Amino acid sequence: MFKDRIYNFNPGPATLPLPVLEEAQKEFLNFAGSGMSILEISHRAKAYDEVHQKAKADVKELMGLGDDYEVLFCQGGASQQFAMIPMNFATKEKPGNYVLSGSFATKAYQEAEILGVGEVAASSKDVNFKHIPTQDELKINPNAAYLHLCYNNTIYGTEFHYIPETNGVPLFADMSSDMLSRPIDFKKFDFIYAGVQKNLGPAGVVLVVAKKSLVEKSPKSLPTMLRYETFFKKDSLYNTPPAFCIYMVGKVAAWIKDNGGLAAMEKRNREKAKILYDAIDSSGGFYKGHADKDSRSLMNVTFRLPSEDLEKKFVAEALEEGLSGVKGHRSVGGMRASIYNAMPIEGAEKLASFMAEFKKKN
Ligand SMILES: *Cc1c(COP(=O)(O)O)cnc(C)c1O
């Protein structure tokens, strides 16, 4: 249907930087002079190890973190982290505390609940997750093993714009959909993870960046692959890692570095978000944003139209214009434009002018 690449607003798997895809294509049949592709080479090969170490180092450099943090590559998606975190860190005496700010935040809490070690520190469910709970709304158990946040709520289109003060309780965050999208004081966090298929690569690997002191030792009662200690001690090479995904994460991290780092990403991401939120706010009520203004996400812009019929029409006509993946999640309805690092500013501009045009015609 399309002869060329389109603007892909899907929430994840999501758009990747074109230069990264082109580089991977160029290297595909003969990776690092091995005469094999990265899909075929041993994960114990020296050429692969260089990729593995460089990806880890670049991620840590971008985050401004030192030797007290470790980068791990896990599997099972961010969803498996929802279970591994309480298994490794929480107990009935020291429960995990959760801020329920959306669907994934709630799913994370539910895994802790299955284990009987979860507590809710705050929730914005009563307002359909339109806003991020404020510092004043957080009721953190001083004895908690951690406070878990979902930093960007992919489905509802809300994002934390502050780092909670926890008074010594370790701070954990699911940053699946905003990892490396802007400079954050990452040192204030003890444990960060991200399913990479939103902003950092293809589906298949989860990036974990955590304090060494947290992952160097895990409860012996847990099976091997559910212990962070296994990943730490074996440098995420205890079993066969998803080598291609890690290679792609490394390429995306290098692309971010080459393009000005996190500060430059933030500048572009703010510009794109402004273009789309302005299109919503200046529509005289035709488009209605889901998120409260102070909680708006820079990554996922959610909005509704006056009727579901118009929403269907919007999705169909947008696609004809080469604007793909703008349909929202069923729990919010309406539209969602995901504008991760790799989405060019022209993509946001094209969507905004389509929105203005569509409003005029309807
Ligand atoms: C997509 C997403 C998840 C789920 O990730 P999987 O890798 O599919 O398990 C979790 N948290 C957030 C914030 C997400 O956007």
Side-chain angles (χ1 to χ4, degrees):
M1 184 173 167
F2 295 105
K3 280 201 211 71
D4 224 329
R5 285 180 59 80
I6 58 174
Y7 291 116
N8 173 6
F9 292 94
N10 275 293
T15 185
L16 286 168
L18 186 57
V20 165
L21 296 173
E22 285 169 341
E23 207 177 283
Q25 183 185 44
K26 205 166 83 217
E27 294 172 2
F28 192 65
L29 295 180
N30 187 356
F31 163 67
S34 66
M36 297 177 270
S37 76
I38 182 99
L39 299 178
E40 302 163 295
I41 197 171
S42 167
H43 57 292
R44 311 283 174 201
K46 186 165 172 294
Y48 173 70
D49 194 55
E50 280 167 17
V51 166
H52 195 86
Q53 302 309 332
K54 176 90 171 26
K56 286 174 59 174
D58 281 351
V59 165
K60 241 162 75 164
E61 185 188 323
L62 283 166
M63 296 174 83
L65 296 173
D67 283 343
D68 48 339
Y69 284 82
E70 185 67 23
V71 175
L72 309 175
F73 297 115
C74 297
Q75 294 182 54
S79 300
Q80 183 154 306
Q81 296 302 307
F82 296 167
M84 277 176 76
I85 287 170
M87 285 173 128
N88 277 265
F89 303 113
T91 59
K92 289 205 165 46
E93 295 70 43
K94 282 179 80 66
N97 274 207
Y98 288 81
V99 177
L100 308 190
S101 54
S103 305
F104 291 114
T106 304
K107 283 184 171 169
Y109 165 65
Q110 283 164 347
E111 294 298 296
E113 230 189 353
I114 290 172
L115 300 164
V117 297
E119 261 177 27
V120 176
S123 172
S124 51
K125 183 168 194 283
D126 58 338
V127 291
N128 198 17
F129 300 120
K130 276 194 315 192
H131 82 94
I132 294 287
T134 61
Q135 177 78 51
D136 289 344
E137 292 174 293
L138 306 182
K139 304 259 177 315
I140 307 169
N141 177 346
N143 200 34
Y146 53 81
L147 179 71
H148 180 279
L149 316 173
C150 181
Y151 218 60
N152 183 72
N153 297 281
T154 322
I155 290 175
Y156 291 91
T158 61
E159 187 169 11
F160 272 82
H161 296 294
Y162 75 102
I163 301 176
E165 175 52 63
T166 62
N167 293 312
V169 170
L171 188 56
F172 282 39
D174 174 359
M175 291 196 185
S176 292
S177 49
D178 66 345
M179 184 76 153
L180 306 186
S181 65
R182 58 188 167 108
I184 293 173
D185 192 354
F186 294 105
K187 289 192 206 72
K188 293 217 166 114
F189 294 83
D190 297 84
F191 191 108
I192 297 167
Y193 63 100
V196 306
Q197 71 274 19
K198 306 284 161 59
N199 201 28
L200 300 174
V205 75
V206 186
L207 186 64
V208 172
V209 185
K211 286 248 175 81
K212 262 186 193 157
S213 55
L214 281 173
V215 294
E216 65 192 358
K217 224 169 163 354
S218 304
K220 290 282 175 278
S221 57
L222 293 178
T224 311
M225 281 301 284
L226 297 176
R227 264 186 259 148
Y228 289 109
E229 181 185 346
T230 304
F231 292 86
F232 174 75
K233 291 217 165 124
K234 300 289 183 186
D235 198 14
S236 305
L237 289 160
Y238 171 80
N239 76 325
T240 318
F244 180 74
C245 295
I246 295 168
Y247 160 87
M248 290 296 283
V249 170
K251 288 210 180 298
V252 170
W255 173 82
I256 294 173
K257 275 174 64 177
D258 290 347
N259 285 278
L262 299 192
M265 292 299 126
E266 174 171 34
K267 188 166 173 287
R268 262 161 45 101
N269 288 334
R270 284 196 185 280
E271 205 174 321
K272 286 178 280 175
K274 184 174 185 321
I275 290 168
L276 294 182
Y277 287 122
D278 282 352
I280 293 169
D281 294 341
S282 67
S283 72
F286 185 80
Y287 299 110
K288 281 202 178 64
H290 175 76
D292 285 352
K293 283 190 181 170
D294 60 0
S295 296
R296 282 174 164 177
S297 167
L298 298 178
M299 298 277 96
N300 311 96
V301 177
T302 48
F303 57 96
R304 302 219 56 162
L305 274 71
S307 73
E308 287 190 14
D309 284 343
L310 278 174
E311 290 175 346
K312 280 200 193 109
K313 196 168 167 212
F314 185 98
V315 173
E317 291 183 9
L319 186 60
E320 280 169 26
E321 296 295 316
L323 303 163
S324 167
V326 295
K327 189 175 185 307
H329 191 274
R330 59 194 174 279
S331 52
V332 185
M335 304 298 130
R336 167 177 48 179
S338 298
I339 46 173
Y340 302 119
N341 285 350
M343 173 60 65
I345 289 174
E346 298 75 49
E349 282 168 345
K350 188 165 175 193
L351 178 57
S353 45
F354 172 79
M355 286 168 71
E357 201 55 36
F358 187 88
K359 185 197 144 199
K360 221 185 285 164
K361 280 197 252 156
N362 294 280

